[in-house]
Each structure stands twice: as C-alpha cells, then as structure tokens.
Amino acid sequence: MTEVIVTSLQVFIRRSSPDMSALGRIVGICCLICYSITAHAVSEVSISVERLEHAMGEAKDIALKLQLNQPKPSVTLHAALKPADAQGKQNEWTQLDLSCNLPKRRSIEAVRCDNGRLKSARVDLPFNLDINRLFHRNQLDIDAALYLKGGSFSDEAGLHAAEKLSGAMTIALKREAQGWQWQTSVDWQTGEVYWQPFYIESGGHALQATGTLRDDVLEVNQAHLKINRVGELDADGAVRLSDFKLLDLNAKLPKLDLGAAYPLLFKPLLGNTAFNNATIDGTASLQLKVKNTELQSFNLQLNDVDVVDINNKFAFYQLNANIPWSYEASNPVRLSYARGSLLNLPLGKTEINAEVNRYAITAPSIRLPVLDGALSLSNLSATRLHNEWFWHLSAKLEPISMEDFSTQLKLPRMLGKASAQIPLVTYSGGILTTDGSVVLNVFNGTATVTQLTMHTPLGIAPKLNADIALRNLELGELTRTFSFGAIEGKLDGDIKGLELQNWKPVTFDARIQSSPGKYPKKISQRAVENISALGGGGAAAAVQRSFLRFFQQFNYGKMGLSCRLRNDVCEMGGVESTAHGYIIVKGSGIPAITVMGYNQTVGWSELLARIERVIDGNSKAVVR
C-alpha cells in the first residue's frame, strides 16, 4: 500500500508515572504526525487522555484534535488542570481551552492561538498566544508572546484578586552550555490587582529583563522596571528559586515620586505605625547593593519632601536628607527641614549631623527649635540589634513661652516660662523610660515626673505610665490661667500611678491641696461657686442666702480635692471627711467659708464636663 489515510487516532492513558513519560509519548506522536503531513494524506488526528499525574499537579479529560484537511491546519486542546497545592480539595479543577492555527511547513513557526481560556470558579483568564519559534537547529529555542484580555482571579482567603486585567508578556528561552538563557518583557496595560497588602488600581507598568537560569539560581543580567507615575528602576542580581532567597542585587532608582509611591508601596507596609496616615510630597533617590545575601550598602537622598500626618501628630516641610550606609565603613548623615510641627507645637528650621557606623548612629548634640525656645539633645546613641531599636539620650528644654505653648495646644491661656531637664532617656524593646526625674518649672513652682515609661510611643495606641509631684504652684497665676476665680496661695499635688492609653487617662490616684507654710490664703466668691459646682452645691447656695454674699473674698485655712480613677469612675474626697461628704475648702478667720462636697463618686467624663463648664464661665452648674 502506497498511501495511508488516518481519520482518527485514539490514545487512552489512565495513569502515568511521575516523569510524565505518557505525556512525552503524546508529544512524540504529535511531532511524528506533523512531520508526516507531506508524506501522508492525514485528515484528522484525535488524542484522548483520561488522566495524567505529576508532582506538579494533575490533568484529566485531555482532548487534543488536529484538523489537517482545512485551508489552515489547526489544533484544539481541552483539559482540566489541578495544581499540586489543590490536591484533596473538591471542585478545584481549572478548564483549559486552546485553539491554534498550524503552519504548513515542517518547522513549527508562526503559530497563533486565539480565544484561549483558563476558567474555574475563581479564575477567568482569556488569552491569545503567539508562538514565533519553538526550535532552532533541533534545539529548543522558544520565542512566544502571551496576550491577556480582561482577566480576573481571586483566592478563597481573599488575599489575592484581580479584575479587568489586560496586558502582554513576551518570552524568549533557549538552551546554552550550562543552563538556559532567557529574555522577557511585561506590559501591564489595564486592570486592578490586590495582592496583600498592596492594591494597584490601574495599569501603565512595564518590565524588561534578560538573564540566565542555572540549576535553581535565576540570574538577572539587566532589568528595567517602570511603575506608572512612581518612577523607574534599573537592577541586576540573582535569586535562588528553591527558597526565593535574594543572593545578589544592584539597584538604582534615580527619581522616586513619593507622592505616588507612598499610598501604593509604603503605606500598606506601615499598618501599625505613626506613619500610616500621612501625605507625602517630594522626590527621593536610592542606590542599593546586596552581595552573598547580605546588605552591603545603600544611599538614600530626600529632596524637598513634605511629610504631614492627617491627624496633626507631626509635620515636616522641605525635608532634605543624605543618608549613606555601608557595611564596611562609617559615613556622615545630614538631615534638615525648614519648619515643622509635633503635636501642634511649631518646630523651627533644623539641621542634624550625625555619623552612622554599620548598625549604630551617634550624634554629640542636636538642637531642635520649638516655639521661642529649643529642645537640646546630647549624648545621642542608637543601635539596631535583632530587628529591634535601642537608643538613649539626654535632653534639656530651653525656656519656652507658656502663653504660646497653651495657644498652640488649644489649652487655657497660661503665663510665664517652662523649662525642663531630662537626665537620661532610654528606648528598648518598644518601651521608653527615663533615668531620674523630669523637672518642669511652671507657675513659679515645679512639676516633677518620675517613673516615666511609654510603650510604643510612635504607635497608633501609645501607653504612658508616670508619677507626678506638683510643688508650690502659685494659685493666683494658675486660677487666672483657667478662669476659675481668684485664689491666693500655693498648691501641692501628687498624681500617682498615672496611666494614659492613647493619651487619655484610665487610672490614677490624684490629690491636690494647699501647700504647707504661712502665706496669704484668700478665695473669691466666684471660686467658691466653681469649686461647689465640682463637688456639691451647698456652699454656693449658702453664700447667696446669707450676709456672705456681700463679701468678694474669704479666708481659708486649707483646701484640697482628691480623685481615685478606676473604670472611668472617680472616687472623690477632700481635706477632711464628714458624715455626709467631705470638706474641700476649710474656712479660717473672718470672713471665712467652708465648701463641702457631696458627690463621692462621679463619672470621669461627667467630671471633665463640669470642669469645662466652669472654665467656660458657667459657674452655676446644676449638680445632681
């Protein structure tokens, strides 16, 4: 017989060994058929495979059909695929459909596959595939392009998803003496992608790269990455594929637009930090080198950067920095900003010079202008060990205007100057502590803070613990500041076990009382009314109903008020206890008046509301 006509060829393979020998036989059959087209009048070839198994996954219901008697020969493929990580899960099969036009020549070139599709419950990826070349001189030499059009995918956990994803990818791959040589380009045109924690809402990004693959090491000889509106990166390096370990890297990012990069790349990584809710403008540049899996050097430059926290915790304007780092040598660091603010306190022009030596940074002194004074830091030293920061410094607050300070923080107007000495501040393991006392000079007296600790001071919910001792504060200056009514005398106070969470008090034992000693002790009728509004209404009513209403001020022997705060409830007391309450102001001499308190438990928020009403001038608050 001189002519063979094959109309149908059926091949059934129920299971194959892990080396995919059955699939190899199928490919071999297809190649033999293609090379026999000119010698035999073959009209159609059909290959069916019930199931294939491999370490990388499974395939079933495979149907391959070659149509050879048409003007344009074609091949269609239908199969259900399941990757290895989906083993044991039900209904995790992905359907593959592919239809390709075949060339009439022996060599497999210019193959175009239209209307390809990967489809499952969570994946829908329509695509076209162009194969320009598969072999050259009997060696595998791939030159192909994949076009994705409006694809979507998601995973069960909701950590990865995409919608309306379109783009193009080219790949060139050929064998060389010791591995594979490759070249690729990716053009992400449209579509949005969420890949936890990053969300990219539009396309316009591109990648071009070349390199080699030897064993399990992917070498990148040259790569150019363009991120739309953010910047462009040039890099080379090597990655070990078995564990995705970065072996070597040389990267240059000459101009990064921080305004576009912050929400796209940085904010998702700053979740529980003080920098996760800010706006950033300006540019930066970066050079980075990794060798043998270790960071060797980098150089970061910031150019006219504005950083503003939306919640007004901090702001820095016209920030410039040159921050070089090297594993082998120490380098000078320079940073400056034209102005800024911290917790609404204005910061003046500042220049900082320091030295970085591997994982440690030191600076002999730094002066940070604040209002009309400055915070001077000395003996600054910081180091990073085991992925934790440790640092210490001494500080001195040069006198600042309390009037300006209270205005900026929207507090009642205060007078005088405030200054402070902080012997040593230490930060370790996320906890800030002070060695010694922090002494503030205010209202012609002193406020001494001891046992000060802060947990996660730059976090979203900082926690502060401290004890505070007030000594010899001038009551006249203090009451004028808070519009409380005139009181002459001196005040002592102790706030023990103070705990603030997110800057709000949750626990303390507080007592304020007149200082011991001989000095004028006078209290005005308005102050009596206001104190009465805080603790009870009896004294204010007594003044109005008796001859005492004709006196503008009274003498007192001692005064005091206490609050023990637990579970948002304040247990209140005074200088003495009585059968029905407590004494807040104990009169002495003529004319004299005693102010009683009757509310022994008050909600903290209610007490704050009473104080606010008093300060606002509502001295006749109704107390129930």
Side-chain angles (χ1 to χ4, degrees), residues 453-456 459-466 497-508 565 604:
T453 62
M454 291 185 68
H455 296 255
T456 60
I460 59 175
K463 177 182 175 182
L464 181 146
N465 297 84
L498 173 64
E499 180 180 331
L500 304 181
Q501 291 185 3
N502 200 21
W503 308 112
K504 296 180 180 179
V506 293
T507 303
F508 62 73
L565 180 64
W604 176 246

PDB file of all heavy atoms in Angstrom, residues 453-456 459-466 497-508 565 604:
ATOM      1  N   THR A 453       7.394  55.888  81.847  1.00  0.00           N
ATOM      2  CA  THR A 453       7.602  54.878  80.808  1.00  0.00           C
ATOM      3  C   THR A 453       6.542  55.070  79.735  1.00  0.00           C
ATOM      4  O   THR A 453       5.408  55.471  80.026  1.00  0.00           O
ATOM      5  CB  THR A 453       7.504  53.439  81.353  1.00  0.00           C
ATOM      6  OG1 THR A 453       6.194  53.213  81.874  1.00  0.00           O
ATOM      7  CG2 THR A 453       8.529  53.195  82.447  1.00  0.00           C
ATOM      8  N   MET A 454       6.928  54.770  78.503  1.00  0.00           N
ATOM      9  CA  MET A 454       5.991  54.816  77.378  1.00  0.00           C
ATOM     10  C   MET A 454       6.152  53.555  76.551  1.00  0.00           C
ATOM     11  O   MET A 454       7.271  53.167  76.209  1.00  0.00           O
ATOM     12  CB  MET A 454       6.233  56.048  76.508  1.00  0.00           C
ATOM     13  CG  MET A 454       5.863  57.356  77.158  1.00  0.00           C
ATOM     14  SD  MET A 454       6.034  58.755  75.998  1.00  0.00           S
ATOM     15  CE  MET A 454       4.701  58.377  74.848  1.00  0.00           C
ATOM     16  N   HIS A 455       5.028  52.927  76.231  1.00  0.00           N
ATOM     17  CA  HIS A 455       5.019  51.757  75.364  1.00  0.00           C
ATOM     18  C   HIS A 455       4.570  52.187  73.974  1.00  0.00           C
ATOM     19  O   HIS A 455       3.565  52.881  73.832  1.00  0.00           O
ATOM     20  CB  HIS A 455       4.066  50.687  75.902  1.00  0.00           C
ATOM     21  CG  HIS A 455       4.470  50.122  77.227  1.00  0.00           C
ATOM     22  ND1 HIS A 455       5.026  48.865  77.378  1.00  0.00           N
ATOM     23  CD2 HIS A 455       4.432  50.667  78.466  1.00  0.00           C
ATOM     24  CE1 HIS A 455       5.270  48.642  78.649  1.00  0.00           C
ATOM     25  NE2 HIS A 455       4.926  49.726  79.339  1.00  0.00           N
ATOM     26  N   THR A 456       5.307  51.748  72.960  1.00  0.00           N
ATOM     27  CA  THR A 456       5.045  52.094  71.549  1.00  0.00           C
ATOM     28  C   THR A 456       4.706  53.569  71.397  1.00  0.00           C
ATOM     29  O   THR A 456       3.596  53.923  70.995  1.00  0.00           O
ATOM     30  CB  THR A 456       3.915  51.233  70.949  1.00  0.00           C
ATOM     31  OG1 THR A 456       2.702  51.453  71.703  1.00  0.00           O
ATOM     32  CG2 THR A 456       4.290  49.761  70.989  1.00  0.00           C
ATOM     33  N   GLY A 459       3.396  54.432  68.074  1.00  0.00           N
ATOM     34  CA  GLY A 459       2.360  53.554  67.546  1.00  0.00           C
ATOM     35  C   GLY A 459       1.009  54.246  67.506  1.00  0.00           C
ATOM     36  O   GLY A 459       0.852  55.405  67.874  1.00  0.00           O
ATOM     37  N   ILE A 460      -0.001  53.504  67.071  1.00  0.00           N
ATOM     38  CA  ILE A 460      -1.331  54.092  66.944  1.00  0.00           C
ATOM     39  C   ILE A 460      -2.045  54.160  68.288  1.00  0.00           C
ATOM     40  O   ILE A 460      -3.030  54.882  68.433  1.00  0.00           O
ATOM     41  CB  ILE A 460      -2.187  53.299  65.928  1.00  0.00           C
ATOM     42  CG1 ILE A 460      -2.330  51.840  66.370  1.00  0.00           C
ATOM     43  CG2 ILE A 460      -1.603  53.396  64.540  1.00  0.00           C
ATOM     44  CD1 ILE A 460      -3.262  51.032  65.497  1.00  0.00           C
ATOM     45  N   ALA A 461      -1.587  53.418  69.300  1.00  0.00           N
ATOM     46  CA  ALA A 461      -2.213  53.458  70.628  1.00  0.00           C
ATOM     47  C   ALA A 461      -1.122  53.449  71.694  1.00  0.00           C
ATOM     48  O   ALA A 461      -0.916  52.451  72.389  1.00  0.00           O
ATOM     49  CB  ALA A 461      -3.163  52.281  70.808  1.00  0.00           C
ATOM     50  N   PRO A 462      -0.389  54.552  71.863  1.00  0.00           N
ATOM     51  CA  PRO A 462       0.682  54.584  72.859  1.00  0.00           C
ATOM     52  C   PRO A 462       0.137  54.504  74.275  1.00  0.00           C
ATOM     53  O   PRO A 462      -1.001  54.894  74.555  1.00  0.00           O
ATOM     54  CB  PRO A 462       1.363  55.935  72.591  1.00  0.00           C
ATOM     55  CG  PRO A 462       0.319  56.767  71.939  1.00  0.00           C
ATOM     56  CD  PRO A 462      -0.519  55.815  71.127  1.00  0.00           C
ATOM     57  N   LYS A 463       0.972  53.997  75.177  1.00  0.00           N
ATOM     58  CA  LYS A 463       0.598  53.870  76.585  1.00  0.00           C
ATOM     59  C   LYS A 463       1.670  54.537  77.432  1.00  0.00           C
ATOM     60  O   LYS A 463       2.860  54.313  77.225  1.00  0.00           O
ATOM     61  CB  LYS A 463       0.464  52.389  76.954  1.00  0.00           C
ATOM     62  CG  LYS A 463       0.138  52.134  78.418  1.00  0.00           C
ATOM     63  CD  LYS A 463       0.079  50.639  78.691  1.00  0.00           C
ATOM     64  CE  LYS A 463      -0.135  50.352  80.169  1.00  0.00           C
ATOM     65  NZ  LYS A 463      -0.136  48.897  80.447  1.00  0.00           N
ATOM     66  N   LEU A 464       1.247  55.364  78.388  1.00  0.00           N
ATOM     67  CA  LEU A 464       2.180  56.110  79.243  1.00  0.00           C
ATOM     68  C   LEU A 464       1.859  55.833  80.696  1.00  0.00           C
ATOM     69  O   LEU A 464       0.692  55.803  81.100  1.00  0.00           O
ATOM     70  CB  LEU A 464       2.084  57.608  78.962  1.00  0.00           C
ATOM     71  CG  LEU A 464       3.016  58.536  79.766  1.00  0.00           C
ATOM     72  CD1 LEU A 464       3.446  59.719  78.905  1.00  0.00           C
ATOM     73  CD2 LEU A 464       2.328  59.062  81.034  1.00  0.00           C
ATOM     74  N   ASN A 465       2.919  55.614  81.507  1.00  0.00           N
ATOM     75  CA  ASN A 465       2.808  55.476  82.949  1.00  0.00           C
ATOM     76  C   ASN A 465       3.771  56.455  83.612  1.00  0.00           C
ATOM     77  O   ASN A 465       4.895  56.639  83.135  1.00  0.00           O
ATOM     78  CB  ASN A 465       3.135  54.049  83.391  1.00  0.00           C
ATOM     79  CG  ASN A 465       2.148  53.034  82.833  1.00  0.00           C
ATOM     80  OD1 ASN A 465       2.290  52.565  81.709  1.00  0.00           O
ATOM     81  ND2 ASN A 465       1.145  52.695  83.622  1.00  0.00           N
ATOM     82  N   ALA A 466       3.330  57.080  84.703  1.00  0.00           N
ATOM     83  CA  ALA A 466       4.188  58.059  85.380  1.00  0.00           C
ATOM     84  C   ALA A 466       3.622  58.385  86.751  1.00  0.00           C
ATOM     85  O   ALA A 466       2.444  58.128  87.050  1.00  0.00           O
ATOM     86  CB  ALA A 466       4.325  59.334  84.548  1.00  0.00           C
ATOM     87  N   GLY A 497       0.555  56.580  90.048  1.00  0.00           N
ATOM     88  CA  GLY A 497       0.009  55.501  89.224  1.00  0.00           C
ATOM     89  C   GLY A 497      -0.742  55.976  88.007  1.00  0.00           C
ATOM     90  O   GLY A 497      -1.696  55.328  87.561  1.00  0.00           O
ATOM     91  N   LEU A 498      -0.313  57.086  87.428  1.00  0.00           N
ATOM     92  CA  LEU A 498      -0.995  57.619  86.237  1.00  0.00           C
ATOM     93  C   LEU A 498      -0.769  56.690  85.046  1.00  0.00           C
ATOM     94  O   LEU A 498       0.357  56.316  84.735  1.00  0.00           O
ATOM     95  CB  LEU A 498      -0.463  59.014  85.908  1.00  0.00           C
ATOM     96  CG  LEU A 498      -0.954  59.641  84.594  1.00  0.00           C
ATOM     97  CD1 LEU A 498      -2.450  59.874  84.637  1.00  0.00           C
ATOM     98  CD2 LEU A 498      -0.196  60.928  84.304  1.00  0.00           C
ATOM     99  N   GLU A 499      -1.860  56.331  84.401  1.00  0.00           N
ATOM    100  CA  GLU A 499      -1.777  55.523  83.176  1.00  0.00           C
ATOM    101  C   GLU A 499      -2.637  56.173  82.102  1.00  0.00           C
ATOM    102  O   GLU A 499      -3.830  56.382  82.293  1.00  0.00           O
ATOM    103  CB  GLU A 499      -2.263  54.101  83.421  1.00  0.00           C
ATOM    104  CG  GLU A 499      -2.197  53.215  82.169  1.00  0.00           C
ATOM    105  CD  GLU A 499      -2.669  51.798  82.417  1.00  0.00           C
ATOM    106  OE1 GLU A 499      -2.521  51.316  83.564  1.00  0.00           O
ATOM    107  OE2 GLU A 499      -3.182  51.173  81.459  1.00  0.00           O
ATOM    108  N   LEU A 500      -1.988  56.511  80.985  1.00  0.00           N
ATOM    109  CA  LEU A 500      -2.692  57.044  79.819  1.00  0.00           C
ATOM    110  C   LEU A 500      -2.650  56.008  78.707  1.00  0.00           C
ATOM    111  O   LEU A 500      -1.608  55.413  78.442  1.00  0.00           O
ATOM    112  CB  LEU A 500      -2.034  58.334  79.322  1.00  0.00           C
ATOM    113  CG  LEU A 500      -1.866  59.500  80.302  1.00  0.00           C
ATOM    114  CD1 LEU A 500      -1.216  60.678  79.583  1.00  0.00           C
ATOM    115  CD2 LEU A 500      -3.200  59.919  80.879  1.00  0.00           C
ATOM    116  N   GLN A 501      -3.772  55.820  78.051  1.00  0.00           N
ATOM    117  CA  GLN A 501      -3.830  54.969  76.863  1.00  0.00           C
ATOM    118  C   GLN A 501      -4.348  55.818  75.714  1.00  0.00           C
ATOM    119  O   GLN A 501      -5.447  56.380  75.800  1.00  0.00           O
ATOM    120  CB  GLN A 501      -4.732  53.754  77.095  1.00  0.00           C
ATOM    121  CG  GLN A 501      -4.135  52.763  78.082  1.00  0.00           C
ATOM    122  CD  GLN A 501      -4.964  51.504  78.213  1.00  0.00           C
ATOM    123  OE1 GLN A 501      -5.973  51.331  77.527  1.00  0.00           O
ATOM    124  NE2 GLN A 501      -4.556  50.603  79.087  1.00  0.00           N
ATOM    125  N   ASN A 502      -3.503  55.900  74.685  1.00  0.00           N
ATOM    126  CA  ASN A 502      -3.797  56.788  73.552  1.00  0.00           C
ATOM    127  C   ASN A 502      -4.047  58.209  74.049  1.00  0.00           C
ATOM    128  O   ASN A 502      -4.959  58.899  73.582  1.00  0.00           O
ATOM    129  CB  ASN A 502      -4.988  56.275  72.745  1.00  0.00           C
ATOM    130  CG  ASN A 502      -5.024  56.857  71.345  1.00  0.00           C
ATOM    131  OD1 ASN A 502      -4.007  57.329  70.819  1.00  0.00           O
ATOM    132  ND2 ASN A 502      -6.187  56.845  70.721  1.00  0.00           N
ATOM    133  N   TRP A 503      -3.234  58.612  75.044  1.00  0.00           N
ATOM    134  CA  TRP A 503      -3.215  59.959  75.606  1.00  0.00           C
ATOM    135  C   TRP A 503      -4.477  60.288  76.410  1.00  0.00           C
ATOM    136  O   TRP A 503      -4.737  61.453  76.705  1.00  0.00           O
ATOM    137  CB  TRP A 503      -2.988  61.016  74.518  1.00  0.00           C
ATOM    138  CG  TRP A 503      -1.794  60.715  73.677  1.00  0.00           C
ATOM    139  CD1 TRP A 503      -1.786  60.363  72.371  1.00  0.00           C
ATOM    140  CD2 TRP A 503      -0.424  60.709  74.105  1.00  0.00           C
ATOM    141  NE1 TRP A 503      -0.503  60.137  71.940  1.00  0.00           N
ATOM    142  CE2 TRP A 503       0.349  60.347  72.979  1.00  0.00           C
ATOM    143  CE3 TRP A 503       0.228  60.974  75.304  1.00  0.00           C
ATOM    144  CZ2 TRP A 503       1.750  60.242  73.032  1.00  0.00           C
ATOM    145  CZ3 TRP A 503       1.607  60.868  75.348  1.00  0.00           C
ATOM    146  CH2 TRP A 503       2.353  60.501  74.219  1.00  0.00           C
ATOM    147  N   LYS A 504      -5.252  59.286  76.820  1.00  0.00           N
ATOM    148  CA  LYS A 504      -6.412  59.506  77.657  1.00  0.00           C
ATOM    149  C   LYS A 504      -6.219  58.773  78.976  1.00  0.00           C
ATOM    150  O   LYS A 504      -5.830  57.596  78.994  1.00  0.00           O
ATOM    151  CB  LYS A 504      -7.685  59.012  76.964  1.00  0.00           C
ATOM    152  CG  LYS A 504      -8.020  59.770  75.691  1.00  0.00           C
ATOM    153  CD  LYS A 504      -9.290  59.246  75.048  1.00  0.00           C
ATOM    154  CE  LYS A 504      -9.619  60.024  73.776  1.00  0.00           C
ATOM    155  NZ  LYS A 504     -10.862  59.511  73.123  1.00  0.00           N
ATOM    156  N   PRO A 505      -6.507  59.450  80.138  1.00  0.00           N
ATOM    157  CA  PRO A 505      -6.281  58.805  81.435  1.00  0.00           C
ATOM    158  C   PRO A 505      -7.267  57.670  81.680  1.00  0.00           C
ATOM    159  O   PRO A 505      -8.463  57.801  81.426  1.00  0.00           O
ATOM    160  CB  PRO A 505      -6.488  59.949  82.441  1.00  0.00           C
ATOM    161  CG  PRO A 505      -7.325  60.950  81.725  1.00  0.00           C
ATOM    162  CD  PRO A 505      -6.971  60.845  80.284  1.00  0.00           C
ATOM    163  N   VAL A 506      -6.752  56.542  82.190  1.00  0.00           N
ATOM    164  CA  VAL A 506      -7.600  55.404  82.538  1.00  0.00           C
ATOM    165  C   VAL A 506      -7.457  55.033  84.012  1.00  0.00           C
ATOM    166  O   VAL A 506      -8.369  54.427  84.584  1.00  0.00           O
ATOM    167  CB  VAL A 506      -7.276  54.181  81.650  1.00  0.00           C
ATOM    168  CG1 VAL A 506      -7.656  54.441  80.209  1.00  0.00           C
ATOM    169  CG2 VAL A 506      -5.814  53.785  81.744  1.00  0.00           C
ATOM    170  N   THR A 507      -6.315  55.393  84.629  1.00  0.00           N
ATOM    171  CA  THR A 507      -6.087  55.066  86.031  1.00  0.00           C
ATOM    172  C   THR A 507      -5.180  56.109  86.654  1.00  0.00           C
ATOM    173  O   THR A 507      -4.210  56.530  86.037  1.00  0.00           O
ATOM    174  CB  THR A 507      -5.428  53.672  86.188  1.00  0.00           C
ATOM    175  OG1 THR A 507      -6.253  52.693  85.567  1.00  0.00           O
ATOM    176  CG2 THR A 507      -5.234  53.310  87.655  1.00  0.00           C
ATOM    177  N   PHE A 508      -5.491  56.542  87.877  1.00  0.00           N
ATOM    178  CA  PHE A 508      -4.574  57.346  88.690  1.00  0.00           C
ATOM    179  C   PHE A 508      -5.168  57.540  90.079  1.00  0.00           C
ATOM    180  O   PHE A 508      -6.375  57.368  90.311  1.00  0.00           O
ATOM    181  CB  PHE A 508      -4.252  58.701  88.048  1.00  0.00           C
ATOM    182  CG  PHE A 508      -5.424  59.612  87.856  1.00  0.00           C
ATOM    183  CD1 PHE A 508      -6.035  60.274  88.928  1.00  0.00           C
ATOM    184  CD2 PHE A 508      -5.926  59.853  86.579  1.00  0.00           C
ATOM    185  CE1 PHE A 508      -7.114  61.126  88.749  1.00  0.00           C
ATOM    186  CE2 PHE A 508      -7.014  60.707  86.387  1.00  0.00           C
ATOM    187  CZ  PHE A 508      -7.602  61.340  87.481  1.00  0.00           C
ATOM    188  N   LEU A 565      -9.255  57.326  90.168  1.00  0.00           N
ATOM    189  CA  LEU A 565      -9.914  56.951  88.917  1.00  0.00           C
ATOM    190  C   LEU A 565      -9.730  55.464  88.639  1.00  0.00           C
ATOM    191  O   LEU A 565      -8.606  54.971  88.536  1.00  0.00           O
ATOM    192  CB  LEU A 565      -9.348  57.770  87.753  1.00  0.00           C
ATOM    193  CG  LEU A 565      -9.942  57.473  86.367  1.00  0.00           C
ATOM    194  CD1 LEU A 565     -11.428  57.832  86.336  1.00  0.00           C
ATOM    195  CD2 LEU A 565      -9.190  58.224  85.276  1.00  0.00           C
ATOM    196  N   TRP A 604     -15.992  59.941  85.128  1.00  0.00           N
ATOM    197  CA  TRP A 604     -14.861  60.763  84.686  1.00  0.00           C
ATOM    198  C   TRP A 604     -15.283  61.727  83.590  1.00  0.00           C
ATOM    199  O   TRP A 604     -14.909  62.905  83.604  1.00  0.00           O
ATOM    200  CB  TRP A 604     -13.722  59.861  84.220  1.00  0.00           C
ATOM    201  CG  TRP A 604     -12.546  60.596  83.659  1.00  0.00           C
ATOM    202  CD1 TRP A 604     -12.105  60.580  82.374  1.00  0.00           C
ATOM    203  CD2 TRP A 604     -11.667  61.467  84.379  1.00  0.00           C
ATOM    204  NE1 TRP A 604     -11.004  61.373  82.237  1.00  0.00           N
ATOM    205  CE2 TRP A 604     -10.700  61.942  83.454  1.00  0.00           C
ATOM    206  CE3 TRP A 604     -11.587  61.899  85.696  1.00  0.00           C
ATOM    207  CZ2 TRP A 604      -9.695  62.816  83.813  1.00  0.00           C
ATOM    208  CZ3 TRP A 604     -10.570  62.767  86.063  1.00  0.00           C
ATOM    209  CH2 TRP A 604      -9.639  63.232  85.122  1.00  0.00           C
TER     210      TRP A 604
END
